[in-house]
Amino acid sequence: MIYSGQTGITYILESQLGAGGEGIVYSLYGNDQFVAKIYKKEKFHSDSERKTMERKLKTMISMNVPVALDGIIRLAWPQDILYDNHVMAGFIMPKIETTYKLFDIYRGGKNSVRAKLYPNYTWKYAAQFAYHLAWVVAHLHSRDIVIGDFNQNNIAVDPVFNTIILIDCDSFDITDPKTGEHFPCTVGLPEMLAPELQDVGSLSKGHFSKESDNFSLAIHIFRLLMDNADPFGGIITVDGSASVSDIPANRAIVNGECAYVRNVPGKRIPDWSPKMEMLPGDLMKLFKKTFYYTAVNAKRKKNNRATAKEWCDALKPLGAPEPNPHLKTCTHNRLHVYPAHNKTCPWCRTQIKKTTRISKRHRRYRYLLAGVVFLVAAGTAVMYLQGIHPVTAVQSWIKEIPTLLDSSDDSSDRSSEVLKETNAEETNLSEYIIPDSNSRYLTENDLEGLSQDEVCLARNEIFARYGRKFRTDWIRDYFLSTSWYEEQYEPDEFDAISNDIFNEYEKENIRIIVAYEAKMGYQ
Amino acid sequence: MPVQFTTDPLPITNQGERHVPAVILVDISGSMGGIPINELNQGLIEFGTALHEDSLALGRAEVCIISFNSSVQTEMSFRPAADYEAPVLSASGLTSMNEAIEAALDAIESRKAEYRAQGVSYYRPWLFLLTDGAPTDNEKEHSARTRLQNAISNKKVVYMPMGIGEHADTGKLQSYYPNDAQTRPVLKASAQNFKEAFVWLSQSLGVVSQSDPNVSDQVQLPPTPSIITVGI
């Protein structure tokens, strides 16, 4: 397929690289830095729609927006228009080779894409990705460019330079700086839309703005920093029968029902989610500015929303190279990094809550958890642009961005990180008298080296794994001093159901330990 | 006969994202033997492949597979789509479709209870039902139909029936829609060639997982493949 550009250059399209909802992306013959996007016929309902898109692309190209900032591509901005027999068919844009998206960074867990991409991922990475995102938005806003459909599918993650790239730029909300013609963004992912855009019916009647971008930006940053929690989500406590899906879904956004920044009757923050207080005060304040509103004042308060520049200022210190006085590392797990004002590790707390909730079943399906295959393309790279839009005249604050995640975190120090991680695991195991008393049958040999008190604790440890409370003070104090124990069940409550909860190893091991204690005269 | 559980549910992942739970109910009665059961097994494999093609949906969809013949079996309890493993099914016996419908509604209810306990929001659950005949457990039909009709009326479930081959009783499949339903879509395909339906199902779940939950009645699903016709 042959197309001609604005100035008559000929582009030869080679092979299809991917297809989206409204267009197909092709590689270019003899050019590995750019690609072509050809619109599907059904995108345009009339010739005039196609003409409008052509004017929009012309405007975008004439705005001379550098696709690379600090030498790294961060925008799939249109570079040339493709014509087929004088009819606009698509455009040329820089090639973005990554298949990772921002939600791959939101999502943690052992089998996650993130765990494969960044085995040493910590909260500091989250803060750095958030910073990069805010920084690119600040750059666009400084040029009066509105993103509009600012959702996680349109934010690619570059795993080479560890930064983000905004794709689908042709859907941006653009105003021609010369003629003033407005090319509105008309699409949006509902879960990302600001309250003023939630109830407009059709988005073509809505009006995207820097403020609506700021709202979406805050959701992205919230998910990054808060372990992928939904700022408008939570446990509904009003009435057991009212299901979450019965509630018009995005009403929470319309009504400003963010339980993290204000008391929302009938809603509480889930146990697995970190608490807002975990965040440094200035970040908390920015979330409050953005998410503290009600249905009545939502529109009036949209100007209160934290700006991209404000996020940059608040996030930047967290991403600074080590030693970073703003961050602490947990003594039990080197991968637990958190803001320095926290007295205890917030990740240990939420992790315990997560595991106790599922621990009852966990053992039974552990074997099923093996190997999840993600079809993720390997060998990603980013192309530098040369010659088209030289990176010039960037404002001074742009240069302040750390272009890479901390190298000490990421690569050069990796061997020592691995070492520390292993130690951390040992520390955790050493907090048990018999770490595997839930997964194998004990023998007297296991107990012979233990003192009377230790044998007693070994027996109670089997109960403590499930969060049973203890009446005896010294036993209670002992378990409370471990990082893994959390009180959950009253003793009577637990004992009534323990038979259903314990597995065969645990039941048998309790018998073995009781018999041993009797034999030794401990009881 | 009690429902057999061959697997336990797996824990919910990505609790901060809105989930799409889907039960796939499949007929493995004797008449499915030969080409149809192979087509079904292949379809379930391709369903898994298709799930992986949409990485946003992969983290949001959850799947449960229940089969029915003379009895009802949970082949795979609810689990994240990322943990999906296609079962290998073989055909024999009768068609306990009504019991299976109730088992599917039970599975949906218990997964929803889990969502609520963890504060996980969700889209309306899907119930995809594939059969090549008509139910043989007629004594349970009234109860199953009443429950499913109510669930559809109360917007608790999206019912997506599919009849394959000449003997599929599409009228019966349509009778599970509420009496006042405006349309009663039922998918139809040949019993020799229907596996693409599972790719379509996966793509549809992908579309739902990014839709506006306020208007889930009007979500525009991808066009069905040409081998499938839609009766209304």
Side-chain angles (χ1 to χ4, degrees):
Chain A
M1 285 179 297
I2 298 177
Y3 293 87
S4 46
Q6 277 181 292
T7 55
I9 303 172
T10 300
Y11 294 94
I12 302 171
L13 274 52
E14 245 174 6
S15 48
Q16 181 171 334
L17 298 174
E22 54 175 28
I24 297 172
V25 175
Y26 296 91
S27 63
L28 290 174
Y29 174 74
N31 188 334
D32 59 1
Q33 297 179 8
F34 294 91
V35 293
K37 175 170 167 179
I38 301 296
Y39 289 116
K40 291 181 181 168
K41 277 205 179 69
E42 35 311 355
K43 173 166 166 68
F44 305 109
H45 302 102
S46 66
D47 280 355
S48 93
E49 271 188 32
R50 190 180 282 270
K51 285 268 181 222
T52 306
M53 192 69 213
E54 182 184 350
R55 287 201 308 283
K56 180 178 185 179
L57 289 169
K58 272 189 184 158
T59 300
M60 290 181 80
I61 292 163
S62 72
M63 288 164 85
N64 252 331
V65 175
V67 294
L69 306 173
D70 267 15
I72 298 170
I73 291 187
R74 316 212 192 225
L75 290 170
W77 197 266
Q79 302 296 314
D80 198 355
I81 299 178
L82 291 175
Y83 289 94
D84 179 15
N85 217 354
H86 304 290
V87 177
M88 186 280 291
F91 62 92
I92 296 286
M93 63 181 174
K95 185 176 194 174
I96 310 294
E97 293 209 61
T98 173
T99 56
Y100 302 109
K101 299 283 181 72
L102 190 62
F103 55 80
D104 290 319
I105 304 299
Y106 291 168
R107 294 173 175 170
K110 262 212 303 274
N111 294 328
S112 62
V113 172
R114 187 178 82 189
K116 291 181 181 68
L117 207 49
Y118 298 113
N120 293 321
Y121 186 91
T122 66
W123 190 78
K124 184 173 182 179
Y125 286 51
Q128 286 175 313
F129 273 110
Y131 176 65
H132 283 217
L133 185 64
W135 179 77
V136 173
V137 176
H139 174 71
L140 291 169
H141 283 185
S142 75
R143 289 170 156 265
D144 289 324
I145 295 166
V146 171
I147 297 169
D149 182 16
F150 191 20
N151 81 64
Q152 59 271 46
N153 255 330
N154 295 344
I155 305 167
V157 168
D158 169 358
V160 175
F161 291 104
N162 306 311
T163 189
I164 57 94
I165 308 166
L166 298 185
I167 55 177
D168 273 350
C169 295
D170 54 320
S171 76
F172 280 14
D173 194 283
I174 299 291
T175 304
D176 190 319
K178 295 186 195 93
T179 66
E181 182 174 8
H182 181 216
F183 304 99
C185 173
T186 54
V187 287
L189 187 65
E191 68 197 54
M192 298 304 304
L193 294 178
E196 67 271 20
L197 294 168
Q198 287 286 347
D199 49 4
V200 292
S202 161
L203 276 177
S204 53
K205 292 180 214 138
H207 186 69
F208 286 96
S209 59
K210 285 182 193 172
E211 288 74 31
S212 65
D213 280 356
N214 289 340
F215 184 84
S216 306
L217 175 63
I219 294 184
H220 291 307
I221 295 175
F222 192 89
R223 286 191 180 270
L224 284 168
L225 300 184
M226 298 286 281
D227 201 14
N228 198 14
D230 175 358
F232 296 93
I235 295 178
I236 308 298
T237 56
V238 251
D239 170 13
S241 67
S243 85
V244 183
S245 71
D246 292 338
I247 300 164
N250 295 326
R251 195 193 71 180
I253 292 183
V254 175
N255 294 347
E257 291 170 13
C258 175
Y260 291 86
V261 300
R262 70 179 175 98
N263 181 27
V264 179
K267 193 185 227 176
R268 71 177 172 83
I269 293 163
D271 299 334
W272 53 264
S273 158
K275 305 274 169 292
M276 273 289 267
E277 292 68 30
M278 183 270 288
L279 297 173
D282 50 350
L283 285 174
M284 253 168 72
K285 220 178 274 171
L286 295 184
F287 281 122
K288 277 195 179 142
K289 280 173 69 162
T290 312
F291 295 143
Y292 197 155
Y293 61 86
T294 63
V296 180
N297 63 21
K299 290 191 177 87
R300 206 167 52 225
K301 289 185 93 168
K302 72 177 189 180
N303 294 324
N304 284 15
R305 291 175 195 152
T307 64
K309 181 73 168 66
E310 285 177 293
W311 285 115
C312 285
D313 294 342
L315 288 162
K316 197 174 167 205
L318 299 168
E322 299 301 330
N324 182 334
H326 304 284
L327 296 175
K328 264 195 224 166
T329 303
C330 175
T331 49
H332 297 294
N333 186 337
R334 296 291 304 172
L335 297 180
H336 288 183
V337 170
Y338 52 91
H341 71 279
N342 289 279
K343 290 204 172 62
T344 56
C345 173
W347 302 118
C348 280
R349 281 197 61 79
T350 46
Q351 199 174 53
I352 288 162
K353 286 194 167 163
K354 272 183 187 173
T355 46
T356 49
R357 191 170 281 285
I358 60 165
S359 61
K360 178 184 162 190
R361 288 191 186 132
H362 188 73
R363 285 182 317 275
R364 280 190 278 152
Y365 48 63
R366 186 178 288 158
Y367 68 100
L368 288 168
L369 282 166
V372 177
V373 182
F374 281 91
L375 299 182
V376 177
T380 44
V382 157
M383 296 292 141
Y384 278 102
L385 280 186
Q386 285 158 356
I388 296 251
H389 283 299
V391 187
T392 50
V394 280
Q395 291 142 355
S396 61
W397 58 267
I398 287 173
K399 292 199 170 144
E400 294 170 18
I401 192 167
T403 47
L404 299 174
L405 292 169
D406 252 5
S407 57
S408 64
D409 263 14
D410 201 35
S411 48
S412 58
D413 199 25
R414 186 161 282 175
S415 54
S416 65
E417 280 293 324
V418 171
L419 208 66
K420 285 173 196 159
E421 203 183 326
T422 329
N423 287 340
E425 272 196 30
E426 279 167 14
T427 319
N428 259 331
L429 288 182
S430 74
E431 287 192 282
Y432 290 91
I433 307 288
I434 304 177
D436 51 356
S437 61
N438 58 354
S439 55
R440 69 174 173 93
Y441 293 116
L442 302 180
T443 65
E444 281 198 13
N445 284 341
D446 293 303
L447 305 170
E448 271 164 3
L450 303 178
S451 70
Q452 180 173 348
D453 286 351
E454 283 171 332
V455 174
C456 172
L457 288 174
R459 175 166 46 81
N460 282 301
E461 189 169 74
I462 298 172
F463 294 76
R465 279 199 188 89
Y466 294 98
R468 181 194 185 274
K469 294 182 185 172
F470 295 96
R471 294 196 183 90
T472 314
D473 283 344
W474 72 272
I475 296 177
R476 178 167 182 264
D477 291 344
Y478 165 79
F479 287 115
L480 285 174
S481 76
T482 67
S483 65
W484 55 268
Y485 175 69
E486 188 165 356
E487 294 187 316
Q488 212 178 356
Y489 297 101
E490 291 305 321
D492 296 336
E493 181 192 3
F494 182 83
D495 295 344
I497 54 168
S498 64
N499 209 37
D500 295 331
I501 288 181
F502 287 136
N503 65 24
E504 292 311 310
Y505 295 114
E506 290 167 332
K507 286 179 191 167
E508 184 57 24
N509 288 339
I510 292 167
R511 275 192 285 275
I512 290 168
I513 299 175
V514 169
Y516 180 80
E517 288 177 304
K519 177 181 150 190
M520 300 296 287
Y522 290 163
Q523 278 185 331
Chain B
M1 187 177 294
V3 177
Q4 300 164 25
F5 286 92
T6 48
T7 60
D8 282 334
L10 294 192
I12 300 162
T13 54
N14 308 325
Q15 293 112 310
E17 298 184 49
R18 186 175 291 273
H19 282 47
V20 196
V23 177
I24 299 178
L25 261 185
V26 290
D27 185 343
I28 55 165
S29 61
S31 58
M32 286 286 289
I35 294 174
I37 196 77
N38 290 339
E39 187 76 2
L40 174 58
N41 283 325
Q42 192 56 37
L44 290 170
I45 291 170
E46 291 180 17
F47 178 71
T49 310
L51 286 172
H52 281 270
E53 276 163 19
D54 182 340
S55 53
L56 184 60
L58 189 67
R60 296 182 170 192
E62 291 206 313
V63 185
C64 164
I65 299 180
I66 295 175
S67 68
F68 54 95
N69 47 14
S70 297
S71 60
V72 173
Q73 299 75 227
T74 300
E75 303 289 348
M76 191 187 83
S77 288
F78 262 116
R79 56 170 66 182
D83 295 326
Y84 175 84
E85 287 168 61
V88 179
L89 306 173
S90 54
S92 70
L94 302 174
T95 311
S96 306
M97 191 174 94
N98 291 305
E99 188 183 333
I101 288 174
E102 298 221 47
L105 294 172
D106 289 343
I108 288 171
E109 280 313 312
S110 79
R111 196 59 168 181
K112 275 162 57 179
E114 195 75 9
Y115 289 157
R116 284 195 288 267
Q118 297 188 35
V120 176
S121 54
Y122 51 89
Y123 291 97
R124 196 179 308 174
W126 276 46
L127 199 171
F128 180 80
L129 166 58
L130 182 133
T131 180
D132 71 337
T136 50
D137 56 347
N138 296 325
E139 73 285 359
K140 292 177 182 149
E141 187 165 316
H142 177 71
S143 144
R145 178 181 291 120
T146 310
R147 264 187 83 184
L148 183 49
Q149 285 180 333
N150 285 337
I152 300 168
S153 293
N154 297 327
K155 306 195 171 186
K156 300 271 189 212
V157 73
V158 175
Y159 172 54
M160 191 63 69
M162 175 159 186
I164 54 164
E166 289 167 13
H167 303 293
D169 188 344
T170 47
K172 179 74 88 181
L173 289 173
Q174 288 178 315
S175 75
Y176 292 84
Y177 279 102
N179 298 326
D180 58 353
Q182 310 226 319
T183 59
R184 298 158 189 269
V186 53
L187 309 176
K188 287 186 276 193
S190 128
Q192 274 76 44
N193 184 12
F194 62 86
K195 63 174 191 275
E196 283 174 56
F198 288 95
V199 175
W200 174 82
L201 178 64
S202 166
Q203 290 165 348
S204 299
L205 295 176
V207 170
V208 171
S209 75
Q210 302 172 42
S211 66
D212 184 347
N214 294 325
V215 293
S216 45
D217 283 334
Q218 299 136 39
V219 174
Q220 178 116 34
L221 297 176
T224 50
S226 56
I227 51 141
I228 296 175
T229 56
V230 184
I232 292 178

